[in-house]
Amino acid sequence: MSRADALRSLLHRVRVRRAAIAFALALPAGLALVAAGWRLLMVPAGGTLVGAMLAVAVAAGLARRAFLAIDADWLNRQLDRLRPEFEDSTALVWLAPDALQGLARLQRDRIAARVDAAPLPELRTPWPWRRLALFWLGSVAIAALALTGPTRPDQATGSLHSGAAAGPELPSALEVVEAQLQVQPPAYTGLPARNEVGLEATVPEGATVRWRIALNASPDAVRLEFLDGVELPLVLQDGHWQGERSIDAAVLYRLDAEGGPTLAEADAGLNRIEIVPDSAPALRVFSPDRTLTLAESGQRDWLLEFEASDDYGLASARLSITLAHGTGENVVFSETVRTLRGEGEAKRKRYRHRIALAEAGFEAGDDLILRLSVADNRVPLANTTRHPSLILRWPLAQGGEAGTLEGVVRDVMPAYFRSQRQIIIDTEALLAERSALDAETFVQRSDAIGIDQRILRLRYGQFLGEETEVATPPPTTGEDGQDEHSEHSADDGHGHGDPEPSRTARFGEIDDVLSEYGHTHDYAEAATLFDSRTKELLRSALNAMWQAELHLRTGRPAEALPHEYRALDFIKQVQQASRIYLARVGLELPPVDFGRRLGGDLTGVGARRDPLSARQEALDWLVELWTALERGEPADLDALDRWIGQRPAPVADPLSLVAALDRLRRDPDCRGCADALARLIWPLLPRPPAQVPARPQPDAAGERYLDALHAESADREGAQ
């Protein structure tokens, strides 16, 4: 016999012993249960025989399970533990020598020699004679009691006597003998139908639940009363009361019967059916790794790679590609929508799509915006997950106006309008260096700063309809900062001289009158769309700049500094008042139904809902309700009922509150029911505002210390 055969023989002996012990212990217990069922449950003779055969089959199944629990790995672990000389290498003996090479083959030969040299240990489990005796004696005693006990009702002599049979005795209370819920999940989930024992279950959202209830009597009618106001009458079929309903939200219900005994208290309570909601798909984007990506030099395409997963299955993935071309208010949008196909199983797919930038018309200064949406296969309304927009931006060259964009919000004022702060910095630096500069250099630098102030003033003036000055000295201003040279002349450099000689003015034409005698830019409304307050702020800023420029050009920067700060303050107010939002997405309008155009059919057309969120209601009434429950006073339970019935529910577990509320309504005098409802309401109460904590009461030592202080104070007052 080879070494492997010796190990197999030992393994077989251990297995047979374990199986025999399991069979010998399980068989008497099964036969005793069959005998007790024959006596107590009035099982007929045929059923008793089937039960005995079933007991033998169960014992055989347990023996087989014990037999298969012992395998070669178990034997190797035992031998390695009991025989240290095997060096934890018993498993190599099972393998053929040709299957091993090198050190493994050498180790196998060494362990095989040691297996031959020493007898294998006895690993069979000893027979548990004491336990076997107790099991068999107990089983024989139970069988004897069942066979020699009182005569079964079907063997009573009274039942063989002739005469009128006694009518069935009605039970004192109606009880549920058997309750079963048949759960049929929605078809799109792919889940199999299942049966739940009892009247409570957790089902998928939208599942159809069918009740099968057997009672110990036959009332006239049975129905299910749901606490959401729905009543489901049950129909008696094949001895069971049956009915079905689709469950879209977690519900509480109770069983109610009419025309028979009163339902037992244990079966008249509330039953709960929870739901497992269908989760929306999950999106995970791998490339690009950020929401805003700047296009690199020479980039020709843009890779989009993401993964989607869902609890039941994915339906479709849509990619919306929006190209925003242009800057400022001259932005043109073009949008295309593509359906993507992924790779993988139904519940998890990976998508990969490459966008050719040249084909999309992507140029410098453009934004390429991607919006992902993935839907699952939920019926009738699919869950859709939308990923935040992914933007590829090709920025303009430095100095362009697009450099002021921050996301999709930009200032109406260009970036160079923010240089008033730099003028202040330069002025303060000049004043700090005044002691180290000669008078001529100081005046020249002050004049240079004044020129910068003039350029900035002219740029702001364009927003109020003023025209660009050409080589004209700065105007003089009065004490109030108003321009004393605001009148125009024919040769003021603004191009408002004689009209064009090629055209003859016509009498009475408003355009010819305005072009000859008027200046359109004198009207602020014709040059800007700013509101009146913003215009006043701009005028104040320009007046301050006039004063600052006057003092800077005349070599008095210290006197110009206060006006510069005033101008900066006005500029900041203008910037805050003139921020606008540039929508960098295309206009999304519903598709036009050409069959209904110009027909006057308003079916399905409703007012747009208010996008504003509802105001959160105060919970003072909830505090009053909790206080009333704690004091045992009458409470307004209807307000709590309406609050719980909101959609979505304001609490995490509304069913517990509904159940406690229902128990209190059915028994208003139940103090325990009121306390249970108060305990559930307590975590929902709003927290009171923070207050100064009360000073703790002093202990005995503290009292003595305070008394000593008072006595010392009294002594001082007496001495004075």
Side-chain angles (χ1 to χ4, degrees), residues 6 17 110 140 183 193 288 338 350 522 555 577 585 715:
R17 177 65 62 84
R110 293 175 65 247
V140 171
V183 181
R338 300 179 183 177
R350 196 177 184 98
D522 289 338
V585 294
D715 294 341

Side-chain angles (χ1 to χ4, degrees), residues 514-530:
L514 287 176
S515 62
E516 183 173 1
Y517 301 102
H519 297 285
T520 306
H521 66 272
D522 289 338
Y523 299 92
E525 290 76 13
T528 178
L529 297 179
F530 287 143

Side-chain angles (χ1 to χ4, degrees), residues 174-176 213 215-225 234 241 254-264 267-268:
L174 190 63
E175 298 179 354
V176 176
I213 303 174
L215 305 175
N216 61 346
S218 298
D220 295 339
V222 179
R223 65 176 178 270
L224 301 179
E225 294 182 353
L234 303 182
W241 294 91
R254 64 166 50 90
L255 185 65
D256 188 27
E258 296 180 356
T262 305
L263 196 64
D267 298 324

Side-chain angles (χ1 to χ4, degrees), residues 181-184 203 207-211 243-247 273:
L181 299 181
Q182 298 177 352
V183 181
Q184 179 62 53
V203 303
T208 300
V209 178
R210 184 175 184 84
W211 285 263
E244 65 178 30
R245 180 191 173 185
S246 178
I247 305 298
I273 295 183

